[in-house]
Amino acid sequence: MHMADDAQKWERELPQHNLDLPFPEGKTGRYVKFSNQIKMLGWNNVFNEILMNTHLAYMSKRAYVFQDYYWKPDYYTWKESQFRSWPPRTPLNAIISGPTSGAPWDEGDPAPRSISEDWFEIVCPVEERRVINTRDVKPAVQWSPGDEIFAHWQKLLTDAPERCIEIEPAPREEDGYGQTFDLWLWGTSRILPLWDSFSKSPTSRLLATSPLVNSAVDRNEYLFLPKGPRPPHPVSRDPYARMLAMHVRRGDYKEACVGLATWNSTFYSWNLLPELPDHFDPPEGGSWGYNTPENTEKYMEHCLPTFDAIVQKSAWLDELKAALIQDGWYTIATSRDLVLDQEQTDVNMAIDMDIARRAAVFIGNGWSSFTSNIVHRRLVDGKEPISNRFY
């Protein structure tokens, strides 16, 4: 049986998929499906939204309806001839675990558990749904701080008497980003007022690594064991306690970095948190849709650093390197060194993220949603802010 089949079977058999359960679940429960969630884009652009939608559903006393992850075909690991569906998709439970994908909330928490999209079709037949189009909600708070946007939607979903609500996006010609929490929010500091509530929420606290991802990390842990001489003093046996993980993006990112410079973009989402040590203020001289060559070069230094720049990031890193060498820093591995089976390959992006989550220190790209979601997990796990650095 293929991994997707295993995960889908597990999802079908979730205990909350039972019409006879008492309120707030079962046939009298309250549910919300975000049909406006973005599809066919990179995992981490989708992941942001999935988590915040779960938090919103929870705070609105409704069960969140989780959906498969639909890949952007260009990003999928396999060739088109090997796709099992079009567009290719992966069950959410193969990528993450936790309440977002149907696991329990805290013991004693009366909140309804998340349900699958397929179960929503059963428990909330079309004739029993209230459909809310984002065009009727978003304009009133389009450019408001994140906490005000959240409160606006929370009141609507809490006060609505209907059991079943489905959120649909406005047509693309009206709103190019029809999500409840859209790119214009995630890409600016307006997201930051949500951090305190979101980071302390059970959505964040109980978010977990999927068994499939855990199996891949465990399988490759030998790569991170020391390869150098015996350290002169006792060190932790935990390889992650001595690990520096780095997100070094290449490929299509050069064009992305030029675009970020053109639009004078700030860092992305949680990478903007003021308690983090590294910040980037767009230099003066640019405007919306234009930047000077000098400013673009400054963006490229941070967004697409040279290998020399990565190695010589700062005096802080030089001091760290010296300390790590003294502590037995002789082991270097990259994503391409990982040995993954077919099922693990399908979730390789989540494997990279979980290794970075566990590392003692993480250096990422401040404009990256991949980096932002790693920072989120690390801070919720209790890692110190200074252990998260940007180029």
Side-chain angles (χ1 to χ4, degrees):
M1 185 177 286
H2 190 270
M3 171 273 297
D5 299 321
D6 287 339
Q8 287 170 343
K9 180 176 184 295
W10 187 88
E11 290 175 356
R12 284 195 302 270
E13 296 175 353
L14 284 169
Q16 57 265 41
H17 292 168
N18 180 348
L19 290 174
D20 296 328
L21 291 175
F23 181 87
E25 298 178 330
K27 60 180 176 292
T28 61
R30 287 164 64 84
Y31 306 89
V32 56
K33 179 185 178 185
F34 295 90
S35 293
N36 62 330
Q37 280 183 186
I38 200 162
K39 290 182 171 69
M40 297 177 67
L41 199 62
W43 162 245
N44 280 285
N45 297 108
V46 177
F47 192 25
N48 286 335
E49 186 188 2
I50 287 173
L51 294 179
M52 194 60 73
N53 285 348
T54 304
H55 181 42
L56 174 59
Y58 176 87
M59 295 298 292
S60 304
K61 297 180 170 54
R62 292 181 180 270
Y64 172 72
V65 179
F66 65 83
Q67 305 165 46
D68 288 349
Y69 168 56
Y70 289 79
W71 289 79
K72 182 177 181 179
D74 293 350
Y75 294 171
Y76 197 44
T77 303
W78 309 107
K79 294 182 296 186
E80 186 172 336
S81 61
Q82 298 172 301
F83 289 3
R84 287 165 52 90
S85 63
W86 182 265
R89 62 186 189 178
T90 298
L92 189 59
N93 277 281
I95 310 174
I96 63 169
S97 291
T100 293
S101 53
W105 298 103
D106 287 311
E107 184 177 356
D109 190 333
R113 292 163 290 184
S114 299
I115 64 168
S116 72
E117 184 175 23
D118 287 345
W119 185 251
F120 182 74
E121 295 299 316
I122 296 172
V123 75
C124 286
V126 173
E127 62 272 15
E128 295 183 21
R129 299 177 201 171
R130 174 184 174 187
V131 175
I132 298 175
N133 195 292
T134 57
R135 66 148 70 93
D136 300 320
V137 183
K138 286 181 66 174
V141 289
Q142 180 79 51
W143 304 107
S144 299
D147 55 342
E148 294 181 16
I149 295 173
F150 190 96
H152 189 72
W153 279 99
Q154 182 184 350
K155 185 177 190 315
L156 173 63
L157 295 178
T158 303
D159 292 349
E162 294 85 1
R163 285 196 316 111
C164 302
I165 290 181
E166 183 173 6
I167 311 295
E168 291 188 343
R172 286 186 64 88
E173 57 269 22
E174 292 183 26
D175 184 355
Y177 300 95
Q179 295 71 51
T180 305
F181 304 100
D182 60 26
L183 177 64
W184 301 120
L185 175 65
W186 289 109
T188 70
S189 60
R190 291 187 298 119
I191 193 70
L192 297 183
L194 280 169
W195 173 252
D196 188 61
S197 168
F198 176 64
S199 64
K200 295 174 182 176
S201 72
T203 296
S204 291
R205 289 190 294 100
L206 302 178
L207 175 63
T209 303
S210 76
L212 180 61
V213 172
N214 267 325
S215 72
V217 176
D218 290 345
R219 177 182 186 176
N220 287 278
E221 191 170 282
Y222 74 94
L223 293 171
F224 314 135
L225 297 176
K227 295 182 175 65
R230 184 187 297 271
H233 50 79
V235 296
S236 170
R237 297 181 65 241
D238 177 7
Y240 303 102
R242 305 185 303 276
M243 178 182 288
L244 168 64
M246 306 177 77
H247 174 208
V248 183
R249 177 136 180 205
R250 285 296 187 266
D252 64 349
Y253 218 58
K254 182 175 182 179
E255 291 181 8
C257 292
V258 171
L260 291 165
T262 299
W263 297 106
N264 288 268
S265 299
T266 63
F267 277 171
Y268 183 86
S269 185
W270 310 129
N271 300 333
L272 288 163
L273 286 167
E275 57 264 41
L276 297 175
D278 297 321
H279 305 276
F280 180 86
D281 296 318
E284 295 181 0
S287 60
W288 185 248
Y290 165 78
N291 222 327
T292 66
E294 296 78 14
N295 286 352
T296 299
E297 186 61 33
K298 290 180 181 179
Y299 270 86
M300 299 302 283
E301 289 173 9
H302 296 276
C303 187
L304 198 76
T306 65
F307 291 122
D308 285 344
I310 292 170
V311 173
Q312 301 296 333
K313 178 183 183 297
S314 67
W316 173 86
L317 182 56
D318 291 336
E319 293 170 5
L320 174 63
K321 285 162 54 182
L324 291 173
I325 289 173
Q326 192 174 25
D327 196 39
W329 191 266
Y330 294 92
T331 307
I332 301 175
T334 73
S335 296
R336 294 186 178 182
D337 297 317
L338 301 178
V339 177
L340 306 176
D341 62 27
Q342 179 177 339
E343 297 179 348
Q344 293 163 345
T345 299
D346 212 48
V347 295
N348 62 81
M349 69 292 191
I351 296 166
D352 288 347
M353 293 174 70
D354 206 63
I355 292 169
R357 175 186 70 84
R358 302 181 191 205
V361 177
F362 170 59
I363 301 178
N365 187 310
W367 287 278
S368 163
S369 57
F370 177 95
T371 288
S372 174
N373 285 326
I374 292 170
V375 168
H376 166 244
R377 288 288 308 271
R378 289 173 59 84
L379 293 177
V380 172
D381 284 350
K383 295 280 198 304
E384 293 293 333
I386 198 172
S387 73
N388 303 286
R389 306 303 303 260
F390 306 132
Y391 299 112

